[in-house]
PDB file of all heavy atoms in Angstrom:
ATOM      1  N   THR A  60      -4.554 -10.193  -8.685  1.00  0.00           N
ATOM      2  CA  THR A  60      -5.099  -9.083  -9.472  1.00  0.00           C
ATOM      3  C   THR A  60      -4.189  -8.877 -10.678  1.00  0.00           C
ATOM      4  O   THR A  60      -3.096  -9.423 -10.741  1.00  0.00           O
ATOM      5  CB  THR A  60      -5.098  -7.791  -8.637  1.00  0.00           C
ATOM      6  OG1 THR A  60      -3.791  -7.615  -8.084  1.00  0.00           O
ATOM      7  CG2 THR A  60      -6.106  -7.878  -7.502  1.00  0.00           C
ATOM      8  N   GLU A  61      -4.658  -8.034 -11.600  1.00  0.00           N
ATOM      9  CA  GLU A  61      -3.836  -7.729 -12.770  1.00  0.00           C
ATOM     10  C   GLU A  61      -2.739  -6.741 -12.376  1.00  0.00           C
ATOM     11  O   GLU A  61      -1.596  -6.853 -12.789  1.00  0.00           O
ATOM     12  CB  GLU A  61      -4.746  -7.117 -13.835  1.00  0.00           C
ATOM     13  CG  GLU A  61      -4.276  -7.257 -15.258  1.00  0.00           C
ATOM     14  CD  GLU A  61      -5.237  -6.542 -16.205  1.00  0.00           C
ATOM     15  OE1 GLU A  61      -6.425  -6.945 -16.278  1.00  0.00           O
ATOM     16  OE2 GLU A  61      -4.813  -5.558 -16.830  1.00  0.00           O
ATOM     17  N   SER A  62      -3.116  -5.758 -11.562  1.00  0.00           N
ATOM     18  CA  SER A  62      -2.168  -4.703 -11.183  1.00  0.00           C
ATOM     19  C   SER A  62      -1.982  -4.693  -9.668  1.00  0.00           C
ATOM     20  O   SER A  62      -2.700  -5.365  -8.934  1.00  0.00           O
ATOM     21  CB  SER A  62      -2.691  -3.347 -11.661  1.00  0.00           C
ATOM     22  OG  SER A  62      -3.908  -3.029 -11.018  1.00  0.00           O
ATOM     23  N   LYS A  63      -1.030  -3.893  -9.219  1.00  0.00           N
ATOM     24  CA  LYS A  63      -0.708  -3.824  -7.799  1.00  0.00           C
ATOM     25  C   LYS A  63      -1.813  -3.106  -7.014  1.00  0.00           C
ATOM     26  O   LYS A  63      -2.767  -2.604  -7.593  1.00  0.00           O
ATOM     27  CB  LYS A  63       0.641  -3.133  -7.610  1.00  0.00           C
ATOM     28  CG  LYS A  63       1.826  -3.939  -8.173  1.00  0.00           C
ATOM     29  CD  LYS A  63       3.151  -3.253  -7.907  1.00  0.00           C
ATOM     30  CE  LYS A  63       4.331  -4.080  -8.426  1.00  0.00           C
ATOM     31  NZ  LYS A  63       5.646  -3.428  -8.111  1.00  0.00           N
ATOM     32  N   LEU A  64      -1.676  -3.075  -5.695  1.00  0.00           N
ATOM     33  CA  LEU A  64      -2.742  -2.530  -4.845  1.00  0.00           C
ATOM     34  C   LEU A  64      -2.890  -1.019  -4.994  1.00  0.00           C
ATOM     35  O   LEU A  64      -3.995  -0.491  -4.997  1.00  0.00           O
ATOM     36  CB  LEU A  64      -2.472  -2.892  -3.376  1.00  0.00           C
ATOM     37  CG  LEU A  64      -3.546  -2.490  -2.354  1.00  0.00           C
ATOM     38  CD1 LEU A  64      -4.920  -3.039  -2.732  1.00  0.00           C
ATOM     39  CD2 LEU A  64      -3.157  -2.970  -0.954  1.00  0.00           C
ATOM     40  N   PHE A  65      -1.760  -0.310  -5.130  1.00  0.00           N
ATOM     41  CA  PHE A  65      -1.837   1.157  -5.151  1.00  0.00           C
ATOM     42  C   PHE A  65      -1.242   1.798  -6.396  1.00  0.00           C
ATOM     43  O   PHE A  65      -1.071   3.014  -6.457  1.00  0.00           O
ATOM     44  CB  PHE A  65      -1.171   1.723  -3.899  1.00  0.00           C
ATOM     45  CG  PHE A  65      -1.890   1.347  -2.635  1.00  0.00           C
ATOM     46  CD1 PHE A  65      -1.231   0.622  -1.639  1.00  0.00           C
ATOM     47  CD2 PHE A  65      -3.218   1.668  -2.438  1.00  0.00           C
ATOM     48  CE1 PHE A  65      -1.881   0.266  -0.464  1.00  0.00           C
ATOM     49  CE2 PHE A  65      -3.886   1.309  -1.271  1.00  0.00           C
ATOM     50  CZ  PHE A  65      -3.218   0.607  -0.277  1.00  0.00           C
ATOM     51  N   CYS A  66      -0.863   0.972  -7.394  1.00  0.00           N
ATOM     52  CA  CYS A  66      -0.389   1.534  -8.662  1.00  0.00           C
ATOM     53  C   CYS A  66      -0.729   0.534  -9.761  1.00  0.00           C
ATOM     54  O   CYS A  66      -1.093  -0.600  -9.483  1.00  0.00           O
ATOM     55  CB  CYS A  66       1.108   1.803  -8.621  1.00  0.00           C
ATOM     56  SG  CYS A  66       2.109   0.313  -8.433  1.00  0.00           S
ATOM     57  N   ALA A  67      -0.571   0.969 -11.018  1.00  0.00           N
ATOM     58  CA  ALA A  67      -0.985   0.127 -12.149  1.00  0.00           C
ATOM     59  C   ALA A  67       0.148  -0.756 -12.670  1.00  0.00           C
ATOM     60  O   ALA A  67       0.070  -1.287 -13.774  1.00  0.00           O
ATOM     61  CB  ALA A  67      -1.537   1.003 -13.271  1.00  0.00           C
ATOM     62  N   CYS A  68       1.206  -0.937 -11.893  1.00  0.00           N
ATOM     63  CA  CYS A  68       2.247  -1.871 -12.305  1.00  0.00           C
ATOM     64  C   CYS A  68       1.683  -3.288 -12.284  1.00  0.00           C
ATOM     65  O   CYS A  68       0.813  -3.594 -11.473  1.00  0.00           O
ATOM     66  CB  CYS A  68       3.451  -1.795 -11.373  1.00  0.00           C
ATOM     67  SG  CYS A  68       4.377  -0.264 -11.549  1.00  0.00           S
ATOM     68  N   ALA A  69       2.213  -4.135 -13.194  1.00  0.00           N
ATOM     69  CA  ALA A  69       1.711  -5.503 -13.291  1.00  0.00           C
ATOM     70  C   ALA A  69       2.008  -6.283 -12.011  1.00  0.00           C
ATOM     71  O   ALA A  69       3.089  -6.170 -11.447  1.00  0.00           O
ATOM     72  CB  ALA A  69       2.345  -6.206 -14.477  1.00  0.00           C
ATOM     73  N   ASN A  70       1.022  -7.044 -11.562  1.00  0.00           N
ATOM     74  CA  ASN A  70       1.188  -7.961 -10.435  1.00  0.00           C
ATOM     75  C   ASN A  70       1.543  -9.321 -11.038  1.00  0.00           C
ATOM     76  O   ASN A  70       0.665 -10.098 -11.374  1.00  0.00           O
ATOM     77  CB  ASN A  70      -0.129  -8.039  -9.650  1.00  0.00           C
ATOM     78  CG  ASN A  70      -0.117  -9.154  -8.612  1.00  0.00           C
ATOM     79  OD1 ASN A  70       0.921  -9.760  -8.347  1.00  0.00           O
ATOM     80  ND2 ASN A  70      -1.274  -9.426  -8.041  1.00  0.00           N
ATOM     81  N   ARG A  71       2.838  -9.535 -11.226  1.00  0.00           N
ATOM     82  CA  ARG A  71       3.276 -10.731 -11.939  1.00  0.00           C
ATOM     83  C   ARG A  71       4.502 -11.320 -11.252  1.00  0.00           C
ATOM     84  O   ARG A  71       5.404 -10.590 -10.849  1.00  0.00           O
ATOM     85  CB  ARG A  71       3.595 -10.356 -13.383  1.00  0.00           C
ATOM     86  CG  ARG A  71       4.116 -11.470 -14.266  1.00  0.00           C
ATOM     87  CD  ARG A  71       3.706 -11.232 -15.721  1.00  0.00           C
ATOM     88  NE  ARG A  71       3.993  -9.859 -16.158  1.00  0.00           N
ATOM     89  CZ  ARG A  71       5.185  -9.452 -16.595  1.00  0.00           C
ATOM     90  NH1 ARG A  71       6.198 -10.307 -16.613  1.00  0.00           N
ATOM     91  NH2 ARG A  71       5.373  -8.213 -17.001  1.00  0.00           N
ATOM     92  N   PHE A  72       4.540 -12.660 -11.141  1.00  0.00           N
ATOM     93  CA  PHE A  72       5.662 -13.345 -10.505  1.00  0.00           C
ATOM     94  C   PHE A  72       6.704 -13.694 -11.559  1.00  0.00           C
ATOM     95  O   PHE A  72       6.363 -14.002 -12.694  1.00  0.00           O
ATOM     96  CB  PHE A  72       5.167 -14.621  -9.814  1.00  0.00           C
ATOM     97  CG  PHE A  72       6.234 -15.379  -9.080  1.00  0.00           C
ATOM     98  CD1 PHE A  72       6.586 -15.009  -7.786  1.00  0.00           C
ATOM     99  CD2 PHE A  72       6.894 -16.443  -9.682  1.00  0.00           C
ATOM    100  CE1 PHE A  72       7.571 -15.710  -7.094  1.00  0.00           C
ATOM    101  CE2 PHE A  72       7.876 -17.141  -9.002  1.00  0.00           C
ATOM    102  CZ  PHE A  72       8.217 -16.769  -7.712  1.00  0.00           C
ATOM    103  N   GLY A  73       7.984 -13.603 -11.172  1.00  0.00           N
ATOM    104  CA  GLY A  73       9.035 -14.137 -12.035  1.00  0.00           C
ATOM    105  C   GLY A  73       9.524 -13.228 -13.138  1.00  0.00           C
ATOM    106  O   GLY A  73      10.234 -13.676 -14.031  1.00  0.00           O
ATOM    107  N   ALA A  74       9.158 -11.932 -13.113  1.00  0.00           N
ATOM    108  CA  ALA A  74       9.683 -11.010 -14.129  1.00  0.00           C
ATOM    109  C   ALA A  74      11.136 -10.653 -13.788  1.00  0.00           C
ATOM    110  O   ALA A  74      11.598 -10.896 -12.672  1.00  0.00           O
ATOM    111  CB  ALA A  74       8.830  -9.757 -14.191  1.00  0.00           C
ATOM    112  N   GLU A  75      11.848 -10.071 -14.739  1.00  0.00           N
ATOM    113  CA  GLU A  75      13.209  -9.586 -14.496  1.00  0.00           C
ATOM    114  C   GLU A  75      13.195  -8.654 -13.283  1.00  0.00           C
ATOM    115  O   GLU A  75      12.297  -7.800 -13.182  1.00  0.00           O
ATOM    116  CB  GLU A  75      13.704  -8.814 -15.730  1.00  0.00           C
ATOM    117  CG  GLU A  75      14.432  -9.675 -16.735  1.00  0.00           C
ATOM    118  CD  GLU A  75      15.731 -10.214 -16.134  1.00  0.00           C
ATOM    119  OE1 GLU A  75      16.644  -9.399 -15.902  1.00  0.00           O
ATOM    120  OE2 GLU A  75      15.798 -11.425 -15.876  1.00  0.00           O
ATOM    121  N   PRO A  76      14.177  -8.776 -12.367  1.00  0.00           N
ATOM    122  CA  PRO A  76      14.174  -7.934 -11.165  1.00  0.00           C
ATOM    123  C   PRO A  76      14.069  -6.444 -11.482  1.00  0.00           C
ATOM    124  O   PRO A  76      14.644  -5.970 -12.451  1.00  0.00           O
ATOM    125  CB  PRO A  76      15.533  -8.239 -10.519  1.00  0.00           C
ATOM    126  CG  PRO A  76      15.905  -9.586 -11.034  1.00  0.00           C
ATOM    127  CD  PRO A  76      15.318  -9.690 -12.407  1.00  0.00           C
ATOM    128  N   ASN A  77      13.268  -5.741 -10.659  1.00  0.00           N
ATOM    129  CA  ASN A  77      13.134  -4.281 -10.766  1.00  0.00           C
ATOM    130  C   ASN A  77      12.708  -3.799 -12.143  1.00  0.00           C
ATOM    131  O   ASN A  77      13.189  -2.784 -12.639  1.00  0.00           O
ATOM    132  CB  ASN A  77      14.453  -3.610 -10.336  1.00  0.00           C
ATOM    133  CG  ASN A  77      14.716  -3.807  -8.860  1.00  0.00           C
ATOM    134  OD1 ASN A  77      13.879  -3.480  -8.024  1.00  0.00           O
ATOM    135  ND2 ASN A  77      15.868  -4.377  -8.535  1.00  0.00           N
ATOM    136  N   THR A  78      11.786  -4.536 -12.758  1.00  0.00           N
ATOM    137  CA  THR A  78      11.234  -4.079 -14.041  1.00  0.00           C
ATOM    138  C   THR A  78       9.734  -3.776 -13.942  1.00  0.00           C
ATOM    139  O   THR A  78       9.166  -3.200 -14.855  1.00  0.00           O
ATOM    140  CB  THR A  78      11.430  -5.140 -15.147  1.00  0.00           C
ATOM    141  OG1 THR A  78      10.860  -6.371 -14.699  1.00  0.00           O
ATOM    142  CG2 THR A  78      12.907  -5.349 -15.449  1.00  0.00           C
ATOM    143  N   LEU A  79       9.103  -4.201 -12.841  1.00  0.00           N
ATOM    144  CA  LEU A  79       7.675  -3.894 -12.664  1.00  0.00           C
ATOM    145  C   LEU A  79       7.569  -2.811 -11.586  1.00  0.00           C
ATOM    146  O   LEU A  79       7.103  -3.064 -10.473  1.00  0.00           O
ATOM    147  CB  LEU A  79       6.902  -5.148 -12.247  1.00  0.00           C
ATOM    148  CG  LEU A  79       7.071  -6.373 -13.159  1.00  0.00           C
ATOM    149  CD1 LEU A  79       6.315  -7.561 -12.586  1.00  0.00           C
ATOM    150  CD2 LEU A  79       6.584  -6.055 -14.566  1.00  0.00           C
ATOM    151  N   ILE A  80       8.033  -1.628 -11.922  1.00  0.00           N
ATOM    152  CA  ILE A  80       8.141  -0.580 -10.911  1.00  0.00           C
ATOM    153  C   ILE A  80       7.696   0.772 -11.463  1.00  0.00           C
ATOM    154  O   ILE A  80       7.720   0.995 -12.665  1.00  0.00           O
ATOM    155  CB  ILE A  80       9.600  -0.437 -10.417  1.00  0.00           C
ATOM    156  CG1 ILE A  80      10.537  -0.288 -11.621  1.00  0.00           C
ATOM    157  CG2 ILE A  80       9.994  -1.635  -9.565  1.00  0.00           C
ATOM    158  CD1 ILE A  80      11.968   0.047 -11.248  1.00  0.00           C
TER     159      ILE A  80
END
Side-chain angles (χ1 to χ4, degrees):
Chain A
T60 51
E61 205 183 297
S62 63
K63 294 183 178 182
L64 184 55
F65 295 120
C66 64
C68 290
N70 170 10
R71 178 150 48 83
F72 182 83
E75 269 295 292
N77 293 305
T78 55
L79 306 177
I80 51 172

